[in-house]
Amino acid sequence: MELHHLTLEDLAEYLRKKEVTSREITEHYLSRIDAHDEEINSYVTVLNDEAIRRADEMDAALSRGEDRGPLHGVPIGLKDIFCTGGILTTCGSRILSNFVPPYDSTVYRKLSDAGTVLLGKQNMDEFAMGSSTETSYFGAARNPWDRGRIPGGSSGGSAAAVASGLCAAAVGTDTGGSIRQPASLCGAVGVKPTYGRVSRFGMIAFASSLDQAGPITKTVKDAAILLEAIAGYDPKDSTSVDVGVPPYREWCGRDLSGTRVGIPKEYFVGGIQPEVDREVRNAIAALERLGCEIVEVSLPHTDYALACYYIVAPAEASSNLARYDGVRYGYRSEGYSDLIGMYRQTRADGFGVEVKRRIMLGTYALSAGYYDAFYGKALRVRTLIKRDFLEAFNAVDVLVTPTSPTTAFRLGEKTEDPLTMYLSDVFTIPTNLAGLPGISLPCGRDEESLPVGVQIIGKHFREEDLIKVASALESVLGAFGVAGESGAREES
């Protein structure tokens, strides 16, 4: 079997049996990136020499009997939103196109402590603002199953790299669906943990009350392994919650008998692509055959989630992005005559269209005279949305919905119509507003063989429930596999 078809668990076993070295695995992935990524465009920065040096260090450590666990010596990718000391970190933006952080994010530090080898930093929508990875300053990433289509966003580079075998696994971020939606569109598994479960320290902020980091992988068990490595309390992040991290891997393969699965009726309405509706209903039927009790529930404020999100998230972005002024770091325009002119020109040249749109939306919502009418009201609606979920979880253990209303659309198809683009996240946004964990896994294909994803939503800090249900479902439906050059599934 080719190395890029192996799961994290398989790679760990091969390394410990000395059937392969970390250097051989790393060279294999680097050669694939060199051969295939010019078209996929999933990486902004590839760390050829650094990755080989790191792999050699991990091989030497293993020879000395120093085993850091299941990720020891495994090559991974990282969304270019995480600060990596001494390594370019762009957040997909011109304004940070020359930014080299002096420190590591907690997520990167934990991955390093676990023994991973960083292959590179992966492409993304600028400042994580997008659903297609078309707003990146470094060009659009492409879906490996059909390279004329988008991979989803904003962690589209990470999902595309996993699906095309250009890394063993990746870590992305999710503010309104940015892990789950691209995972769904690329046939991968993506987990958005509970808000507070994974540290945001060193993760470049978009909307601070919504952002969370999580894994994108080939299988549910791989997601459990990676989540276990990055989760946990961090005193450097004031929103990190001191709740113990369970051994998620141990929840794979468990019996689902008696598990109560809620189906929110508001998520199965007009506008869903028929094949998505069909495949998600097939997945629900599979859960019933696995012993789950299927219960219809209602989340009555779902219709207001999108509008609420597009007040809260831009308002927070407006504040967070005020720091990029060309003074302390990042890009600075030339040709200005005074300080104010430098600010204006730097921000006008440094930010892309979508980022400017959201900064203006957020600034307007926070401005005097409109704060209560927009931002204050959005916060009250957010509370109602969260309350809907908590009431539903009185009756069920998890909720099951489509991840995205459609499969991957064509590049450029929605770039001129932001409202249509925003609807891509209509099923993932409510989870972020409520701070709940969610997972997306493949559940079928549309008529053009593009992946369809199903979303499972759990209670706060109950990621193990998601792993249990998703693992059982995957055992019936199967993993989606790796896309070959033609877009067809590679035989493993």
Side-chain angles (χ1 to χ4, degrees), residues 119-139:
L119 292 169
K121 307 294 288 293
Q122 292 168 331
N123 204 359
M124 56 179 286
D125 279 301
E126 184 179 10
F127 282 99
M129 297 180 195
S131 305
S132 62
T133 315
E134 292 174 291
T135 70
S136 170
Y137 175 64
F138 301 94

PDB file of all heavy atoms in Angstrom, residues 119-139:
ATOM      1  N   LEU A 119       5.004  19.602   7.386  1.00  0.00           N
ATOM      2  CA  LEU A 119       5.334  19.659   5.956  1.00  0.00           C
ATOM      3  C   LEU A 119       5.240  21.076   5.419  1.00  0.00           C
ATOM      4  O   LEU A 119       5.979  21.450   4.505  1.00  0.00           O
ATOM      5  CB  LEU A 119       4.365  18.773   5.168  1.00  0.00           C
ATOM      6  CG  LEU A 119       4.487  17.265   5.385  1.00  0.00           C
ATOM      7  CD1 LEU A 119       3.293  16.565   4.760  1.00  0.00           C
ATOM      8  CD2 LEU A 119       5.785  16.743   4.775  1.00  0.00           C
ATOM      9  N   GLY A 120       4.302  21.868   5.959  1.00  0.00           N
ATOM     10  CA  GLY A 120       4.153  23.228   5.467  1.00  0.00           C
ATOM     11  C   GLY A 120       2.884  23.873   5.969  1.00  0.00           C
ATOM     12  O   GLY A 120       2.113  23.288   6.736  1.00  0.00           O
ATOM     13  N   LYS A 121       2.690  25.135   5.546  1.00  0.00           N
ATOM     14  CA  LYS A 121       1.528  25.931   5.935  1.00  0.00           C
ATOM     15  C   LYS A 121       0.540  25.943   4.760  1.00  0.00           C
ATOM     16  O   LYS A 121       0.931  26.192   3.602  1.00  0.00           O
ATOM     17  CB  LYS A 121       1.973  27.352   6.293  1.00  0.00           C
ATOM     18  CG  LYS A 121       3.091  27.431   7.334  1.00  0.00           C
ATOM     19  CD  LYS A 121       2.671  26.941   8.710  1.00  0.00           C
ATOM     20  CE  LYS A 121       1.726  27.885   9.405  1.00  0.00           C
ATOM     21  NZ  LYS A 121       2.306  29.176   9.786  1.00  0.00           N
ATOM     22  N   GLN A 122      -0.727  25.726   5.076  1.00  0.00           N
ATOM     23  CA  GLN A 122      -1.700  25.442   4.016  1.00  0.00           C
ATOM     24  C   GLN A 122      -2.612  26.623   3.679  1.00  0.00           C
ATOM     25  O   GLN A 122      -2.951  27.443   4.532  1.00  0.00           O
ATOM     26  CB  GLN A 122      -2.520  24.211   4.421  1.00  0.00           C
ATOM     27  CG  GLN A 122      -1.639  22.952   4.417  1.00  0.00           C
ATOM     28  CD  GLN A 122      -2.255  21.750   5.062  1.00  0.00           C
ATOM     29  OE1 GLN A 122      -3.078  21.880   5.980  1.00  0.00           O
ATOM     30  NE2 GLN A 122      -1.862  20.565   4.615  1.00  0.00           N
ATOM     31  N   ASN A 123      -2.995  26.661   2.414  1.00  0.00           N
ATOM     32  CA  ASN A 123      -3.772  27.761   1.848  1.00  0.00           C
ATOM     33  C   ASN A 123      -5.142  27.897   2.522  1.00  0.00           C
ATOM     34  O   ASN A 123      -5.695  26.912   3.030  1.00  0.00           O
ATOM     35  CB  ASN A 123      -3.948  27.520   0.346  1.00  0.00           C
ATOM     36  CG  ASN A 123      -4.195  28.796  -0.430  1.00  0.00           C
ATOM     37  OD1 ASN A 123      -4.257  29.892   0.136  1.00  0.00           O
ATOM     38  ND2 ASN A 123      -4.333  28.665  -1.730  1.00  0.00           N
ATOM     39  N   MET A 124      -5.672  29.085   2.494  1.00  0.00           N
ATOM     40  CA  MET A 124      -6.925  29.375   3.212  1.00  0.00           C
ATOM     41  C   MET A 124      -7.536  30.658   2.669  1.00  0.00           C
ATOM     42  O   MET A 124      -6.856  31.467   2.025  1.00  0.00           O
ATOM     43  CB  MET A 124      -6.620  29.576   4.698  1.00  0.00           C
ATOM     44  CG  MET A 124      -5.578  30.659   4.971  1.00  0.00           C
ATOM     45  SD  MET A 124      -5.246  30.923   6.714  1.00  0.00           S
ATOM     46  CE  MET A 124      -6.735  31.806   7.204  1.00  0.00           C
ATOM     47  N   ASP A 125      -8.824  30.865   2.927  1.00  0.00           N
ATOM     48  CA  ASP A 125      -9.433  32.162   2.640  1.00  0.00           C
ATOM     49  C   ASP A 125      -8.774  33.220   3.502  1.00  0.00           C
ATOM     50  O   ASP A 125      -8.397  32.958   4.650  1.00  0.00           O
ATOM     51  CB  ASP A 125     -10.935  32.115   2.944  1.00  0.00           C
ATOM     52  CG  ASP A 125     -11.736  31.489   1.830  1.00  0.00           C
ATOM     53  OD1 ASP A 125     -11.686  32.010   0.704  1.00  0.00           O
ATOM     54  OD2 ASP A 125     -12.406  30.468   2.082  1.00  0.00           O
ATOM     55  N   GLU A 126      -8.632  34.425   2.956  1.00  0.00           N
ATOM     56  CA  GLU A 126      -7.958  35.503   3.673  1.00  0.00           C
ATOM     57  C   GLU A 126      -8.600  35.735   5.043  1.00  0.00           C
ATOM     58  O   GLU A 126      -9.803  35.970   5.144  1.00  0.00           O
ATOM     59  CB  GLU A 126      -8.016  36.792   2.845  1.00  0.00           C
ATOM     60  CG  GLU A 126      -7.246  37.932   3.487  1.00  0.00           C
ATOM     61  CD  GLU A 126      -7.269  39.210   2.673  1.00  0.00           C
ATOM     62  OE1 GLU A 126      -8.040  39.300   1.697  1.00  0.00           O
ATOM     63  OE2 GLU A 126      -6.529  40.147   3.042  1.00  0.00           O
ATOM     64  N   PHE A 127      -7.803  35.653   6.078  1.00  0.00           N
ATOM     65  CA  PHE A 127      -8.259  35.801   7.464  1.00  0.00           C
ATOM     66  C   PHE A 127      -9.447  34.889   7.782  1.00  0.00           C
ATOM     67  O   PHE A 127     -10.297  35.219   8.597  1.00  0.00           O
ATOM     68  CB  PHE A 127      -8.582  37.256   7.796  1.00  0.00           C
ATOM     69  CG  PHE A 127      -7.345  38.087   8.049  1.00  0.00           C
ATOM     70  CD1 PHE A 127      -6.830  38.898   7.049  1.00  0.00           C
ATOM     71  CD2 PHE A 127      -6.674  38.021   9.250  1.00  0.00           C
ATOM     72  CE1 PHE A 127      -5.671  39.635   7.255  1.00  0.00           C
ATOM     73  CE2 PHE A 127      -5.512  38.753   9.473  1.00  0.00           C
ATOM     74  CZ  PHE A 127      -5.007  39.570   8.475  1.00  0.00           C
ATOM     75  N   ALA A 128      -9.506  33.751   7.088  1.00  0.00           N
ATOM     76  CA  ALA A 128     -10.556  32.741   7.306  1.00  0.00           C
ATOM     77  C   ALA A 128     -11.937  33.231   6.910  1.00  0.00           C
ATOM     78  O   ALA A 128     -12.943  32.687   7.356  1.00  0.00           O
ATOM     79  CB  ALA A 128     -10.553  32.246   8.762  1.00  0.00           C
ATOM     80  N   MET A 129     -11.992  34.277   6.062  1.00  0.00           N
ATOM     81  CA  MET A 129     -13.286  34.840   5.661  1.00  0.00           C
ATOM     82  C   MET A 129     -13.654  34.333   4.274  1.00  0.00           C
ATOM     83  O   MET A 129     -13.289  34.940   3.258  1.00  0.00           O
ATOM     84  CB  MET A 129     -13.218  36.365   5.683  1.00  0.00           C
ATOM     85  CG  MET A 129     -12.957  36.918   7.068  1.00  0.00           C
ATOM     86  SD  MET A 129     -12.893  38.712   7.066  1.00  0.00           S
ATOM     87  CE  MET A 129     -12.144  39.019   8.666  1.00  0.00           C
ATOM     88  N   GLY A 130     -14.366  33.216   4.242  1.00  0.00           N
ATOM     89  CA  GLY A 130     -14.799  32.680   2.965  1.00  0.00           C
ATOM     90  C   GLY A 130     -15.222  31.234   3.100  1.00  0.00           C
ATOM     91  O   GLY A 130     -14.928  30.570   4.096  1.00  0.00           O
ATOM     92  N   SER A 131     -15.913  30.748   2.069  1.00  0.00           N
ATOM     93  CA  SER A 131     -16.427  29.375   2.071  1.00  0.00           C
ATOM     94  C   SER A 131     -15.907  28.594   0.879  1.00  0.00           C
ATOM     95  O   SER A 131     -16.443  27.533   0.552  1.00  0.00           O
ATOM     96  CB  SER A 131     -17.963  29.398   2.018  1.00  0.00           C
ATOM     97  OG  SER A 131     -18.482  30.183   3.068  1.00  0.00           O
ATOM     98  N   SER A 132     -14.866  29.117   0.205  1.00  0.00           N
ATOM     99  CA  SER A 132     -14.421  28.464  -1.023  1.00  0.00           C
ATOM    100  C   SER A 132     -12.910  28.496  -1.220  1.00  0.00           C
ATOM    101  O   SER A 132     -12.405  27.947  -2.189  1.00  0.00           O
ATOM    102  CB  SER A 132     -15.088  29.140  -2.226  1.00  0.00           C
ATOM    103  OG  SER A 132     -14.704  30.510  -2.294  1.00  0.00           O
ATOM    104  N   THR A 133     -12.162  29.170  -0.325  1.00  0.00           N
ATOM    105  CA  THR A 133     -10.715  29.378  -0.456  1.00  0.00           C
ATOM    106  C   THR A 133     -10.391  30.117  -1.751  1.00  0.00           C
ATOM    107  O   THR A 133      -9.321  29.969  -2.328  1.00  0.00           O
ATOM    108  CB  THR A 133      -9.925  28.052  -0.330  1.00  0.00           C
ATOM    109  OG1 THR A 133     -10.459  27.325   0.787  1.00  0.00           O
ATOM    110  CG2 THR A 133      -8.454  28.276  -0.024  1.00  0.00           C
ATOM    111  N   GLU A 134     -11.330  30.945  -2.213  1.00  0.00           N
ATOM    112  CA  GLU A 134     -11.066  31.782  -3.390  1.00  0.00           C
ATOM    113  C   GLU A 134     -10.606  33.182  -2.994  1.00  0.00           C
ATOM    114  O   GLU A 134     -10.201  33.952  -3.866  1.00  0.00           O
ATOM    115  CB  GLU A 134     -12.328  31.879  -4.249  1.00  0.00           C
ATOM    116  CG  GLU A 134     -12.716  30.579  -4.924  1.00  0.00           C
ATOM    117  CD  GLU A 134     -14.046  30.694  -5.649  1.00  0.00           C
ATOM    118  OE1 GLU A 134     -15.085  30.824  -4.956  1.00  0.00           O
ATOM    119  OE2 GLU A 134     -14.065  30.659  -6.875  1.00  0.00           O
ATOM    120  N   THR A 135     -10.700  33.538  -1.697  1.00  0.00           N
ATOM    121  CA  THR A 135     -10.298  34.896  -1.306  1.00  0.00           C
ATOM    122  C   THR A 135      -8.833  34.944  -0.878  1.00  0.00           C
ATOM    123  O   THR A 135      -8.350  36.001  -0.467  1.00  0.00           O
ATOM    124  CB  THR A 135     -11.178  35.435  -0.148  1.00  0.00           C
ATOM    125  OG1 THR A 135     -10.876  34.709   1.058  1.00  0.00           O
ATOM    126  CG2 THR A 135     -12.654  35.301  -0.452  1.00  0.00           C
ATOM    127  N   SER A 136      -8.103  33.834  -0.986  1.00  0.00           N
ATOM    128  CA  SER A 136      -6.688  33.824  -0.605  1.00  0.00           C
ATOM    129  C   SER A 136      -5.876  34.749  -1.515  1.00  0.00           C
ATOM    130  O   SER A 136      -6.046  34.735  -2.743  1.00  0.00           O
ATOM    131  CB  SER A 136      -6.135  32.402  -0.697  1.00  0.00           C
ATOM    132  OG  SER A 136      -4.717  32.417  -0.547  1.00  0.00           O
ATOM    133  N   TYR A 137      -4.958  35.487  -0.909  1.00  0.00           N
ATOM    134  CA  TYR A 137      -4.037  36.325  -1.690  1.00  0.00           C
ATOM    135  C   TYR A 137      -3.135  35.460  -2.562  1.00  0.00           C
ATOM    136  O   TYR A 137      -2.596  35.914  -3.568  1.00  0.00           O
ATOM    137  CB  TYR A 137      -3.200  37.176  -0.719  1.00  0.00           C
ATOM    138  CG  TYR A 137      -2.131  38.007  -1.384  1.00  0.00           C
ATOM    139  CD1 TYR A 137      -2.467  39.028  -2.277  1.00  0.00           C
ATOM    140  CD2 TYR A 137      -0.777  37.785  -1.117  1.00  0.00           C
ATOM    141  CE1 TYR A 137      -1.491  39.801  -2.890  1.00  0.00           C
ATOM    142  CE2 TYR A 137       0.210  38.552  -1.722  1.00  0.00           C
ATOM    143  CZ  TYR A 137      -0.154  39.557  -2.609  1.00  0.00           C
ATOM    144  OH  TYR A 137       0.818  40.316  -3.214  1.00  0.00           O
ATOM    145  N   PHE A 138      -2.989  34.185  -2.207  1.00  0.00           N
ATOM    146  CA  PHE A 138      -2.072  33.287  -2.903  1.00  0.00           C
ATOM    147  C   PHE A 138      -2.783  32.409  -3.933  1.00  0.00           C
ATOM    148  O   PHE A 138      -2.250  31.385  -4.367  1.00  0.00           O
ATOM    149  CB  PHE A 138      -1.319  32.427  -1.878  1.00  0.00           C
ATOM    150  CG  PHE A 138      -0.551  33.272  -0.905  1.00  0.00           C
ATOM    151  CD1 PHE A 138      -1.116  33.633   0.319  1.00  0.00           C
ATOM    152  CD2 PHE A 138       0.691  33.780  -1.225  1.00  0.00           C
ATOM    153  CE1 PHE A 138      -0.433  34.451   1.203  1.00  0.00           C
ATOM    154  CE2 PHE A 138       1.376  34.606  -0.350  1.00  0.00           C
ATOM    155  CZ  PHE A 138       0.813  34.947   0.871  1.00  0.00           C
ATOM    156  N   GLY A 139      -3.981  32.817  -4.320  1.00  0.00           N
ATOM    157  CA  GLY A 139      -4.720  32.097  -5.351  1.00  0.00           C
ATOM    158  C   GLY A 139      -5.631  31.032  -4.766  1.00  0.00           C
ATOM    159  O   GLY A 139      -5.441  30.568  -3.643  1.00  0.00           O
TER     160      GLY A 139
END
